[in-house]
Amino acid sequence: MSTLEKLIEEKHQINMADIIREGNPTLRAIAEPVSLPLTEDLLKLGEKMLEFLKNSQDPEIAEAMGLRGGVGLAAPQLDLPIRVIAVHLPDENPEIAELKLSTVMYNPRIIAHSVQSACLADGEGCLSVDREVPGYVVRHARLTVKYIDRDGIEQIKKLRGYEAIVVQHEIDHINGVLFFDHINPQAPFTLDENVTII
Ligand code: CO
């Protein structure tokens, strides 16, 4: 059975054992675009990825399943070198309520971005990286992303703030890039003037 077939089996729920960790070459490969129209299998994969994120954010389910909390997941993290990402930003947190985003993106591409940069105050983490890597991860503050949605329809979305950061982290994964690649090891907390800390 292929990796994809195993992941999308009816009874299977994606868990930490499905997620590959740094050192695995799939995380460093440029993933292939998915072909259109989207197959039933790829649609199921998207659902399973989103389900994983929701489970990981539910304290009881996460504890029972031993999941680390996550807001985004990219197919290469499941050892599938294809351009599929899922993002689930919770709306429970009042601070990011207006930034809610829950979606699967097929073949996502950044088609425009701001000159201004932004980074998260607490740095970033990744389900494929089992260690903390301190430092600011500088990204575009705003961007326009183009992707195919679950209905096979091309979408163009403008993102800013936290959701823009998360989507860039996931798009990095399909390009073989990990968050700490953006951290300057000599000066992990040094920022240019045009960077907003969020
Ligand atoms: Co990651």
Side-chain angles (χ1 to χ4, degrees):
M1 204 185 278
S2 72
T3 304
L4 176 59
E5 283 167 339
K6 263 187 253 171
L7 290 169
I8 62 174
E9 267 191 306
E10 199 71 53
K11 291 171 306 210
H12 185 71
Q13 288 189 301
I14 293 177
N15 57 72
M16 296 310 290
D18 295 314
I19 296 176
I20 60 171
R21 310 300 159 88
E22 62 174 320
N24 187 309
T26 304
L27 289 174
R28 290 308 196 176
I30 308 284
E32 291 291 327
V34 297
S35 49
L36 303 173
L38 295 170
T39 62
E40 206 52 47
D41 284 1
L42 285 177
L43 293 172
K44 267 191 217 152
L45 174 69
E47 280 171 33
K48 294 278 188 187
M49 289 169 70
L50 214 45
E51 177 192 55
F52 165 81
L53 294 174
K54 290 175 190 168
N55 284 341
S56 84
Q57 290 172 26
D58 180 308
E60 281 172 27
I61 299 176
E63 200 191 333
M65 289 181 69
L67 306 179
R68 251 182 82 188
V71 288
L73 184 67
Q77 294 181 276
L78 300 168
D79 209 12
L80 298 171
I82 52 174
R83 304 182 83 79
V84 182
I85 67 170
V87 173
H88 184 72
L89 298 183
D91 55 1
E92 292 83 11
N93 184 343
E95 280 174 56
I96 57 170
E98 78 277 19
L99 301 176
K100 188 186 174 198
L101 178 70
S102 181
T103 190
V104 181
M105 298 182 179
Y106 297 89
N107 297 341
R109 200 157 63 86
I110 295 168
I111 56 169
H113 63 79
S114 58
V115 174
Q116 174 132 47
S117 300
C119 67
L120 298 180
D122 296 331
E124 294 185 21
C126 179
L127 295 169
S128 293
V129 179
D130 291 326
R131 60 191 172 108
E132 294 213 0
V133 187
Y136 290 133
V137 179
V138 177
R139 300 187 180 281
H140 307 307
R142 296 177 299 284
L143 58 98
T144 306
V145 62
K146 185 161 131 175
Y147 63 96
I148 305 296
D149 72 9
R150 284 169 279 183
D151 297 316
I153 298 180
E154 187 176 278
Q155 298 284 348
I156 292 177
K157 220 182 197 53
K158 284 184 195 294
L159 302 172
R160 57 188 293 279
Y162 186 51
E163 58 183 8
I165 301 278
V166 173
V167 166
Q168 287 173 89
H169 178 119
E170 300 313 324
I171 291 180
D172 267 357
H173 273 305
I174 60 177
N175 290 321
V177 174
L178 294 172
F179 74 91
F180 53 75
D181 297 346
H182 299 285
I183 298 174
N184 176 353
Q186 267 74 51
F189 292 102
T190 301
L191 290 176
D192 290 342
E193 271 179 16
N194 72 331
V195 184
T196 309
I197 301 174
I198 57 176

